[in-house]
Amino acid sequence: MVSRKLMEQLFGGGHSRSAAAFPVRAVYMETGRAVTGVPVQVLISVSKRHFKRAVKRNRVKRQLREGYRLNKQILIDAVNLKREDKSIALAFIWQADRLYETREVEASVKLLLQRIAERL
């Protein structure tokens, strides 16, 4: 869970970077590990503008969480290897107006995690 202060830094300041693999966009930035104690903090956002019904929004959030859970080691290893004193704040933002199959969402999340790991 990302704190409100960290979210404001992530989306408000000029320190964050972005990557996209449709239908998901990732916004991330480095933070100090002393602040969090964990290598990666994740936020998942699905707008009401895309899905009016909470059932569909919750489905997409579950898909994003599962995709991250299955592939998070890619990013955690990169953070621990390259940035031992740093941590990553990461937000997944859904950009599509329709539902996708879980394997497609997982593939997008995996691609984003690989891109972020390479950029660290």
Side-chain angles (χ1 to χ4, degrees):
M1 187 58 134
V2 179
S3 70
R4 184 173 298 277
K5 183 178 176 183
L6 196 53
M7 280 193 301
E8 288 173 3
Q9 289 176 351
L10 185 62
F11 293 109
H15 302 292
S16 62
R17 296 185 200 157
S18 178
F22 196 79
V24 184
R25 182 172 147 242
V27 178
Y28 63 97
M29 74 175 200
E30 292 184 15
T31 61
R33 186 167 295 189
V35 175
T36 61
V38 294
V40 181
Q41 289 186 315
V42 179
L43 168 81
I44 294 177
S45 175
V46 180
S47 175
K48 228 184 223 187
R49 179 181 55 170
H50 296 300
F51 299 112
K52 300 294 183 199
R53 302 207 180 260
V55 172
K56 290 183 179 181
R57 287 195 307 274
N58 290 339
R59 176 182 176 213
V60 171
K61 286 190 262 187
R62 274 195 311 274
Q63 289 174 321
L64 289 169
R65 275 194 303 266
E66 183 67 5
Y68 175 72
R69 184 187 70 83
L70 293 173
N71 299 293
K72 66 183 174 184
Q73 207 58 42
I74 296 168
L75 189 58
I76 291 172
D77 290 343
V79 170
N80 288 335
L81 181 66
K82 298 177 185 175
R83 307 279 189 187
E84 295 172 1
D85 59 331
K86 297 287 184 179
S87 163
I88 299 289
L90 171 65
F92 289 113
I93 303 166
W94 188 260
Q95 293 186 312
D97 289 332
R98 71 175 186 91
L99 297 173
Y100 286 84
E101 290 188 26
T102 302
R103 61 183 157 79
E104 294 176 74
V105 175
E106 182 185 343
S108 294
V109 170
K110 184 176 182 178
L111 180 62
L112 285 171
L113 291 175
Q114 290 169 342
R115 285 184 189 168
I116 293 169
E118 289 171 4
R119 291 183 187 177
L120 292 180

